Amino acid sequence: MTATAPAFLGVTRSVTGRRWRARSGDDRLASALAQRLAVPELIGRVLAGRGVDLDQAPGFLNPKLRDLLPDPSTFKDMDIAAARIVQAVRQGEPMAVFGDYDVDGATSSALLKRFFDAVGGDLRIYIPDRLVEGYGPNAPALLKLQAAGVRLVITVDCGIQAHAALATAADAGLGCIVIDHHLAEPALPRAIAVVNPNRIDENGAHRELAAVGVAFLLLVAVNRGLRQAGWYADRAEPDLMAWLDLVALGTICDVVPLTGLNRALVAQGLKVMARRGNLGLSALADVAGLSEPPGCYHAGFLLGPRVNAGGRVGKADIGARLLTTADPDEAARLARELDQLNAERRSIEAGVQDAAMQMAAGTDAQAPLVVAVGEGWHPGVIGIVASRLKEHFRRPALVIAVQNGIGKGSGRSIPGVDLGAAVTAARQAGLLINGGGHAMAAGLTVAASELGRLRDFLCQRLAPATAGLPETVSLGLDGALAVAGATPALLDLLEQAGPFGAGNAEPRFAVTGARVVQSGVVGGQHVRCVLAGVDGSRLKAIAFRSLENGVGAALLNAAGMPLHVAGALRADFWRGERRVQLVIEDLAPAAATGG
């Protein structure tokens, strides 16, 4: 759709100041998809809006790993890595997995630990302390592992930029294998093998995998190697699919595109997660109050933040420990501890967010990057705050916490703007102590004296990409429906097009001509309400954090006025009954648009 296309439902400026637009401009394709699949026109529009053609449609609605999982051997160094690990397992060599402290790192580490425990390998987990050691492999930690008897270290979700630390390990005779997905440079670190779909010499086919996806493919290769070596002649071969719940959690929380292989991994992983076979995840679901089948929302906003909490404000390895424990009592204890740490994280985050918002308030609306810098801010929450700034300003955002003259920064980007490449370029230009990432997220360490130059460099680097963004912010909608049209049957069909997340946007609809018949504030900043249609039908709805953006006030003061209400349909479970709920994102007066 072009900027001059008619506004959807005539909404040129909603309550949040956005112009509504139709996501799919190909009505013929939408109709053809609906006919081919024997589904409502609305579902055809959803699929067309995500670039699905007639040939792709059946597979899109039913993604299967067997159709999408690549041969691990197609990745550079994969066979070398697998062969060395098979040798270590067969010879009983002590190994360690060195993981990042976020959810992707914790799930990657837990995945390897569960596999090696199952096949009789000797593997321990090492997660660095965010505040003391920083991100990625460091020489003292690697040498300490070697002194404790470790002969092989596997890094997950880190290592691609750890040239100095891995060189020190190599000189000391410690073998290292790098399993990562962050942007690589032409010069790779010294290691036995470097497996990374974002190596420059890779073909790019799977560059959007999360680290846990790469780790899963590594285990497919190792498992195959052990089978060929006869390792399972007198022991049971593990079922790798049983650990797809970890792969799904890490993939969702790392906000990589849920397309292709990622989508299949998550779709199958959520099914595994629903069986509650992982004691740690089950205990975490209990403390989070999750009793319904988990979806991407639950993984990303209920489970993931709690797994992350240990690495942000508590013990770095507690998330990985929770995901690997076989003791129900320990699982319950660790889950409660993570829940408490998450509450502490939210409190710290609120203070940093308020300060960062005030600092960024004067940012030029056309600036390519929003930057907020604070002395003494907790580095464990700056990534979350960067996400909030990105959402508020609709621009890439970078939040930097400074202490003792050193800034630790975390950035989040928007589709079409590669922040990771810009940060890598800044490091190559000598502006950073360390830094890297991927398109949508990046981290860095910078001397406080270089902050001004860094800001200028990144703004200049990102300007061409952000210059192409539309001046009028829009909201894409997949279609319109009446209150009575929001049925469980429609929700069932929509869920077949999921799982939804980055790269496969959750369908968003406008519920037309609705009236608010009941509303109230819940949780301090959310507004829950009931919408009524002209035929008297009812639809539960909630607008999260809506007191910040005008949507909440509009709902509370609607006074029976007809509204077009934009949002996503999700399942709402109450006393065992599955109903439909609208998660509201925006709204506009229906009368003003001719509704």
PDB file of all heavy atoms in Angstrom, residues 270-300:
ATOM      1  N   LEU A 270       5.830 -25.016  21.080  1.00  0.00           N
ATOM      2  CA  LEU A 270       4.715 -24.626  21.945  1.00  0.00           C
ATOM      3  C   LEU A 270       3.834 -25.829  22.282  1.00  0.00           C
ATOM      4  O   LEU A 270       3.281 -25.919  23.390  1.00  0.00           O
ATOM      5  CB  LEU A 270       3.891 -23.528  21.275  1.00  0.00           C
ATOM      6  CG  LEU A 270       4.561 -22.151  21.206  1.00  0.00           C
ATOM      7  CD1 LEU A 270       3.708 -21.178  20.398  1.00  0.00           C
ATOM      8  CD2 LEU A 270       4.810 -21.583  22.611  1.00  0.00           C
ATOM      9  N   LYS A 271       3.710 -26.759  21.348  1.00  0.00           N
ATOM     10  CA  LYS A 271       2.954 -27.984  21.630  1.00  0.00           C
ATOM     11  C   LYS A 271       3.656 -28.796  22.728  1.00  0.00           C
ATOM     12  O   LYS A 271       3.009 -29.348  23.625  1.00  0.00           O
ATOM     13  CB  LYS A 271       2.814 -28.817  20.366  1.00  0.00           C
ATOM     14  CG  LYS A 271       1.968 -28.171  19.278  1.00  0.00           C
ATOM     15  CD  LYS A 271       1.949 -29.026  18.018  1.00  0.00           C
ATOM     16  CE  LYS A 271       1.176 -28.341  16.893  1.00  0.00           C
ATOM     17  NZ  LYS A 271       1.212 -29.121  15.628  1.00  0.00           N
ATOM     18  N   VAL A 272       4.987 -28.871  22.636  1.00  0.00           N
ATOM     19  CA  VAL A 272       5.756 -29.581  23.662  1.00  0.00           C
ATOM     20  C   VAL A 272       5.620 -28.851  25.009  1.00  0.00           C
ATOM     21  O   VAL A 272       5.437 -29.486  26.061  1.00  0.00           O
ATOM     22  CB  VAL A 272       7.233 -29.695  23.254  1.00  0.00           C
ATOM     23  CG1 VAL A 272       8.055 -30.327  24.368  1.00  0.00           C
ATOM     24  CG2 VAL A 272       7.375 -30.502  21.975  1.00  0.00           C
ATOM     25  N   MET A 273       5.679 -27.535  24.985  1.00  0.00           N
ATOM     26  CA  MET A 273       5.572 -26.745  26.210  1.00  0.00           C
ATOM     27  C   MET A 273       4.235 -26.986  26.902  1.00  0.00           C
ATOM     28  O   MET A 273       4.150 -27.020  28.135  1.00  0.00           O
ATOM     29  CB  MET A 273       5.754 -25.263  25.890  1.00  0.00           C
ATOM     30  CG  MET A 273       6.067 -24.397  27.094  1.00  0.00           C
ATOM     31  SD  MET A 273       6.228 -22.631  26.652  1.00  0.00           S
ATOM     32  CE  MET A 273       7.659 -22.675  25.562  1.00  0.00           C
ATOM     33  N   ALA A 274       3.175 -27.163  26.115  1.00  0.00           N
ATOM     34  CA  ALA A 274       1.839 -27.377  26.677  1.00  0.00           C
ATOM     35  C   ALA A 274       1.755 -28.692  27.452  1.00  0.00           C
ATOM     36  O   ALA A 274       0.901 -28.839  28.338  1.00  0.00           O
ATOM     37  CB  ALA A 274       0.795 -27.355  25.564  1.00  0.00           C
ATOM     38  N   ARG A 275       2.654 -29.647  27.164  1.00  0.00           N
ATOM     39  CA  ARG A 275       2.639 -30.929  27.880  1.00  0.00           C
ATOM     40  C   ARG A 275       3.284 -30.826  29.257  1.00  0.00           C
ATOM     41  O   ARG A 275       3.190 -31.754  30.062  1.00  0.00           O
ATOM     42  CB  ARG A 275       3.370 -31.992  27.060  1.00  0.00           C
ATOM     43  CG  ARG A 275       2.759 -32.252  25.685  1.00  0.00           C
ATOM     44  CD  ARG A 275       3.617 -33.232  24.896  1.00  0.00           C
ATOM     45  NE  ARG A 275       3.318 -33.187  23.472  1.00  0.00           N
ATOM     46  CZ  ARG A 275       4.217 -33.343  22.513  1.00  0.00           C
ATOM     47  NH1 ARG A 275       5.489 -33.583  22.827  1.00  0.00           N
ATOM     48  NH2 ARG A 275       3.856 -33.282  21.244  1.00  0.00           N
ATOM     49  N   ARG A 276       3.968 -29.717  29.510  1.00  0.00           N
ATOM     50  CA  ARG A 276       4.590 -29.446  30.813  1.00  0.00           C
ATOM     51  C   ARG A 276       5.577 -30.542  31.214  1.00  0.00           C
ATOM     52  O   ARG A 276       5.635 -30.949  32.369  1.00  0.00           O
ATOM     53  CB  ARG A 276       3.523 -29.275  31.888  1.00  0.00           C
ATOM     54  CG  ARG A 276       2.717 -27.990  31.732  1.00  0.00           C
ATOM     55  CD  ARG A 276       2.036 -27.618  33.017  1.00  0.00           C
ATOM     56  NE  ARG A 276       1.541 -26.256  32.980  1.00  0.00           N
ATOM     57  CZ  ARG A 276       1.389 -25.499  34.048  1.00  0.00           C
ATOM     58  NH1 ARG A 276       1.724 -25.952  35.239  1.00  0.00           N
ATOM     59  NH2 ARG A 276       0.909 -24.275  33.945  1.00  0.00           N
ATOM     60  N   GLY A 277       6.367 -30.997  30.271  1.00  0.00           N
ATOM     61  CA  GLY A 277       7.363 -32.003  30.584  1.00  0.00           C
ATOM     62  C   GLY A 277       8.595 -31.449  31.261  1.00  0.00           C
ATOM     63  O   GLY A 277       9.316 -32.176  31.953  1.00  0.00           O
ATOM     64  N   ASN A 278       8.874 -30.148  31.073  1.00  0.00           N
ATOM     65  CA  ASN A 278      10.030 -29.514  31.712  1.00  0.00           C
ATOM     66  C   ASN A 278       9.592 -29.015  33.090  1.00  0.00           C
ATOM     67  O   ASN A 278       8.743 -28.116  33.198  1.00  0.00           O
ATOM     68  CB  ASN A 278      10.532 -28.353  30.848  1.00  0.00           C
ATOM     69  CG  ASN A 278      11.804 -27.728  31.377  1.00  0.00           C
ATOM     70  OD1 ASN A 278      11.829 -27.179  32.474  1.00  0.00           O
ATOM     71  ND2 ASN A 278      12.877 -27.798  30.605  1.00  0.00           N
ATOM     72  N   LEU A 279      10.153 -29.590  34.140  1.00  0.00           N
ATOM     73  CA  LEU A 279       9.726 -29.246  35.495  1.00  0.00           C
ATOM     74  C   LEU A 279       9.920 -27.767  35.793  1.00  0.00           C
ATOM     75  O   LEU A 279       9.085 -27.148  36.465  1.00  0.00           O
ATOM     76  CB  LEU A 279      10.520 -30.084  36.514  1.00  0.00           C
ATOM     77  CG  LEU A 279      10.209 -31.571  36.564  1.00  0.00           C
ATOM     78  CD1 LEU A 279      11.102 -32.254  37.581  1.00  0.00           C
ATOM     79  CD2 LEU A 279       8.748 -31.810  36.883  1.00  0.00           C
ATOM     80  N   GLY A 280      11.022 -27.201  35.313  1.00  0.00           N
ATOM     81  CA  GLY A 280      11.296 -25.796  35.577  1.00  0.00           C
ATOM     82  C   GLY A 280      10.288 -24.884  34.911  1.00  0.00           C
ATOM     83  O   GLY A 280       9.761 -23.948  35.529  1.00  0.00           O
ATOM     84  N   LEU A 281       9.999 -25.144  33.631  1.00  0.00           N
ATOM     85  CA  LEU A 281       9.019 -24.329  32.919  1.00  0.00           C
ATOM     86  C   LEU A 281       7.633 -24.486  33.526  1.00  0.00           C
ATOM     87  O   LEU A 281       6.855 -23.523  33.613  1.00  0.00           O
ATOM     88  CB  LEU A 281       8.990 -24.701  31.447  1.00  0.00           C
ATOM     89  CG  LEU A 281      10.039 -24.037  30.549  1.00  0.00           C
ATOM     90  CD1 LEU A 281       9.887 -24.527  29.114  1.00  0.00           C
ATOM     91  CD2 LEU A 281       9.912 -22.525  30.594  1.00  0.00           C
ATOM     92  N   SER A 282       7.304 -25.695  33.953  1.00  0.00           N
ATOM     93  CA  SER A 282       6.008 -25.931  34.572  1.00  0.00           C
ATOM     94  C   SER A 282       5.883 -25.148  35.877  1.00  0.00           C
ATOM     95  O   SER A 282       4.845 -24.515  36.141  1.00  0.00           O
ATOM     96  CB  SER A 282       5.828 -27.429  34.839  1.00  0.00           C
ATOM     97  OG  SER A 282       4.585 -27.686  35.445  1.00  0.00           O
ATOM     98  N   ALA A 283       6.938 -25.167  36.685  1.00  0.00           N
ATOM     99  CA  ALA A 283       6.916 -24.411  37.944  1.00  0.00           C
ATOM    100  C   ALA A 283       6.843 -22.915  37.680  1.00  0.00           C
ATOM    101  O   ALA A 283       6.158 -22.176  38.405  1.00  0.00           O
ATOM    102  CB  ALA A 283       8.160 -24.741  38.770  1.00  0.00           C
ATOM    103  N   LEU A 284       7.528 -22.469  36.646  1.00  0.00           N
ATOM    104  CA  LEU A 284       7.505 -21.047  36.308  1.00  0.00           C
ATOM    105  C   LEU A 284       6.116 -20.634  35.830  1.00  0.00           C
ATOM    106  O   LEU A 284       5.642 -19.540  36.150  1.00  0.00           O
ATOM    107  CB  LEU A 284       8.545 -20.764  35.224  1.00  0.00           C
ATOM    108  CG  LEU A 284       9.058 -19.328  35.116  1.00  0.00           C
ATOM    109  CD1 LEU A 284       9.723 -18.890  36.401  1.00  0.00           C
ATOM    110  CD2 LEU A 284      10.027 -19.198  33.956  1.00  0.00           C
ATOM    111  N   ALA A 285       5.461 -21.504  35.057  1.00  0.00           N
ATOM    112  CA  ALA A 285       4.097 -21.220  34.615  1.00  0.00           C
ATOM    113  C   ALA A 285       3.162 -21.090  35.810  1.00  0.00           C
ATOM    114  O   ALA A 285       2.267 -20.241  35.834  1.00  0.00           O
ATOM    115  CB  ALA A 285       3.614 -22.321  33.673  1.00  0.00           C
ATOM    116  N   ASP A 286       3.386 -21.918  36.823  1.00  0.00           N
ATOM    117  CA  ASP A 286       2.540 -21.860  38.013  1.00  0.00           C
ATOM    118  C   ASP A 286       2.699 -20.534  38.755  1.00  0.00           C
ATOM    119  O   ASP A 286       1.709 -19.899  39.142  1.00  0.00           O
ATOM    120  CB  ASP A 286       2.862 -23.025  38.947  1.00  0.00           C
ATOM    121  CG  ASP A 286       2.390 -24.365  38.388  1.00  0.00           C
ATOM    122  OD1 ASP A 286       1.512 -24.362  37.510  1.00  0.00           O
ATOM    123  OD2 ASP A 286       2.913 -25.406  38.833  1.00  0.00           O
ATOM    124  N   VAL A 287       3.931 -20.088  38.963  1.00  0.00           N
ATOM    125  CA  VAL A 287       4.118 -18.828  39.699  1.00  0.00           C
ATOM    126  C   VAL A 287       3.664 -17.633  38.878  1.00  0.00           C
ATOM    127  O   VAL A 287       3.312 -16.587  39.435  1.00  0.00           O
ATOM    128  CB  VAL A 287       5.581 -18.625  40.148  1.00  0.00           C
ATOM    129  CG1 VAL A 287       6.049 -19.752  41.046  1.00  0.00           C
ATOM    130  CG2 VAL A 287       6.524 -18.464  38.955  1.00  0.00           C
ATOM    131  N   ALA A 288       3.641 -17.787  37.540  1.00  0.00           N
ATOM    132  CA  ALA A 288       3.178 -16.701  36.673  1.00  0.00           C
ATOM    133  C   ALA A 288       1.664 -16.720  36.495  1.00  0.00           C
ATOM    134  O   ALA A 288       1.107 -15.846  35.825  1.00  0.00           O
ATOM    135  CB  ALA A 288       3.857 -16.795  35.309  1.00  0.00           C
ATOM    136  N   GLY A 289       0.999 -17.736  37.075  1.00  0.00           N
ATOM    137  CA  GLY A 289      -0.447 -17.827  36.964  1.00  0.00           C
ATOM    138  C   GLY A 289      -0.922 -18.296  35.606  1.00  0.00           C
ATOM    139  O   GLY A 289      -2.053 -18.020  35.206  1.00  0.00           O
ATOM    140  N   LEU A 290      -0.077 -19.026  34.882  1.00  0.00           N
ATOM    141  CA  LEU A 290      -0.417 -19.498  33.542  1.00  0.00           C
ATOM    142  C   LEU A 290      -0.995 -20.903  33.638  1.00  0.00           C
ATOM    143  O   LEU A 290      -0.284 -21.853  33.968  1.00  0.00           O
ATOM    144  CB  LEU A 290       0.821 -19.495  32.647  1.00  0.00           C
ATOM    145  CG  LEU A 290       0.667 -20.084  31.239  1.00  0.00           C
ATOM    146  CD1 LEU A 290      -0.404 -19.352  30.464  1.00  0.00           C
ATOM    147  CD2 LEU A 290       1.998 -20.059  30.496  1.00  0.00           C
ATOM    148  N   SER A 291      -2.274 -21.036  33.348  1.00  0.00           N
ATOM    149  CA  SER A 291      -2.928 -22.338  33.408  1.00  0.00           C
ATOM    150  C   SER A 291      -3.428 -22.798  32.048  1.00  0.00           C
ATOM    151  O   SER A 291      -3.851 -23.935  31.893  1.00  0.00           O
ATOM    152  CB  SER A 291      -4.105 -22.287  34.387  1.00  0.00           C
ATOM    153  OG  SER A 291      -5.032 -21.282  34.006  1.00  0.00           O
ATOM    154  N   GLU A 292      -3.400 -21.915  31.051  1.00  0.00           N
ATOM    155  CA  GLU A 292      -3.898 -22.235  29.725  1.00  0.00           C
ATOM    156  C   GLU A 292      -2.760 -22.687  28.815  1.00  0.00           C
ATOM    157  O   GLU A 292      -1.579 -22.529  29.151  1.00  0.00           O
ATOM    158  CB  GLU A 292      -4.565 -20.999  29.125  1.00  0.00           C
ATOM    159  CG  GLU A 292      -3.617 -19.825  28.963  1.00  0.00           C
ATOM    160  CD  GLU A 292      -4.359 -18.498  28.860  1.00  0.00           C
ATOM    161  OE1 GLU A 292      -4.917 -18.043  29.869  1.00  0.00           O
ATOM    162  OE2 GLU A 292      -4.353 -17.936  27.756  1.00  0.00           O
ATOM    163  N   PRO A 293      -3.065 -23.279  27.669  1.00  0.00           N
ATOM    164  CA  PRO A 293      -2.004 -23.666  26.725  1.00  0.00           C
ATOM    165  C   PRO A 293      -1.167 -22.449  26.345  1.00  0.00           C
ATOM    166  O   PRO A 293      -1.708 -21.401  25.994  1.00  0.00           O
ATOM    167  CB  PRO A 293      -2.781 -24.205  25.522  1.00  0.00           C
ATOM    168  CG  PRO A 293      -4.088 -24.645  26.086  1.00  0.00           C
ATOM    169  CD  PRO A 293      -4.393 -23.680  27.192  1.00  0.00           C
ATOM    170  N   PRO A 294       0.163 -22.551  26.428  1.00  0.00           N
ATOM    171  CA  PRO A 294       1.004 -21.373  26.187  1.00  0.00           C
ATOM    172  C   PRO A 294       1.078 -20.991  24.721  1.00  0.00           C
ATOM    173  O   PRO A 294       1.056 -21.842  23.828  1.00  0.00           O
ATOM    174  CB  PRO A 294       2.380 -21.819  26.706  1.00  0.00           C
ATOM    175  CG  PRO A 294       2.371 -23.306  26.511  1.00  0.00           C
ATOM    176  CD  PRO A 294       0.951 -23.735  26.769  1.00  0.00           C
ATOM    177  N   GLY A 295       1.153 -19.700  24.471  1.00  0.00           N
ATOM    178  CA  GLY A 295       1.371 -19.171  23.135  1.00  0.00           C
ATOM    179  C   GLY A 295       2.582 -18.260  23.151  1.00  0.00           C
ATOM    180  O   GLY A 295       3.295 -18.155  24.157  1.00  0.00           O
ATOM    181  N   CYS A 296       2.818 -17.572  22.046  1.00  0.00           N
ATOM    182  CA  CYS A 296       3.971 -16.674  21.969  1.00  0.00           C
ATOM    183  C   CYS A 296       3.881 -15.564  23.000  1.00  0.00           C
ATOM    184  O   CYS A 296       4.900 -15.148  23.568  1.00  0.00           O
ATOM    185  CB  CYS A 296       4.073 -16.077  20.568  1.00  0.00           C
ATOM    186  SG  CYS A 296       4.645 -17.252  19.323  1.00  0.00           S
ATOM    187  N   TYR A 297       2.675 -15.058  23.240  1.00  0.00           N
ATOM    188  CA  TYR A 297       2.514 -14.002  24.240  1.00  0.00           C
ATOM    189  C   TYR A 297       2.973 -14.484  25.614  1.00  0.00           C
ATOM    190  O   TYR A 297       3.726 -13.788  26.314  1.00  0.00           O
ATOM    191  CB  TYR A 297       1.049 -13.550  24.312  1.00  0.00           C
ATOM    192  CG  TYR A 297       0.772 -12.680  25.505  1.00  0.00           C
ATOM    193  CD1 TYR A 297       1.136 -11.328  25.504  1.00  0.00           C
ATOM    194  CD2 TYR A 297       0.174 -13.197  26.647  1.00  0.00           C
ATOM    195  CE1 TYR A 297       0.905 -10.525  26.614  1.00  0.00           C
ATOM    196  CE2 TYR A 297      -0.062 -12.395  27.753  1.00  0.00           C
ATOM    197  CZ  TYR A 297       0.303 -11.064  27.733  1.00  0.00           C
ATOM    198  OH  TYR A 297       0.079 -10.282  28.836  1.00  0.00           O
ATOM    199  N   HIS A 298       2.547 -15.676  26.012  1.00  0.00           N
ATOM    200  CA  HIS A 298       2.916 -16.185  27.333  1.00  0.00           C
ATOM    201  C   HIS A 298       4.422 -16.414  27.438  1.00  0.00           C
ATOM    202  O   HIS A 298       5.040 -16.096  28.453  1.00  0.00           O
ATOM    203  CB  HIS A 298       2.172 -17.487  27.612  1.00  0.00           C
ATOM    204  CG  HIS A 298       0.692 -17.378  27.459  1.00  0.00           C
ATOM    205  ND1 HIS A 298       0.029 -17.894  26.365  1.00  0.00           N
ATOM    206  CD2 HIS A 298      -0.259 -16.786  28.234  1.00  0.00           C
ATOM    207  CE1 HIS A 298      -1.268 -17.658  26.491  1.00  0.00           C
ATOM    208  NE2 HIS A 298      -1.474 -16.972  27.598  1.00  0.00           N
ATOM    209  N   ALA A 299       5.004 -16.979  26.367  1.00  0.00           N
ATOM    210  CA  ALA A 299       6.451 -17.215  26.380  1.00  0.00           C
ATOM    211  C   ALA A 299       7.219 -15.907  26.439  1.00  0.00           C
ATOM    212  O   ALA A 299       8.212 -15.776  27.176  1.00  0.00           O
ATOM    213  CB  ALA A 299       6.859 -18.019  25.146  1.00  0.00           C
ATOM    214  N   GLY A 300       6.761 -14.916  25.660  1.00  0.00           N
ATOM    215  CA  GLY A 300       7.505 -13.662  25.565  1.00  0.00           C
ATOM    216  C   GLY A 300       7.295 -12.705  26.703  1.00  0.00           C
ATOM    217  O   GLY A 300       8.197 -11.925  27.033  1.00  0.00           O
TER     218      GLY A 300
END
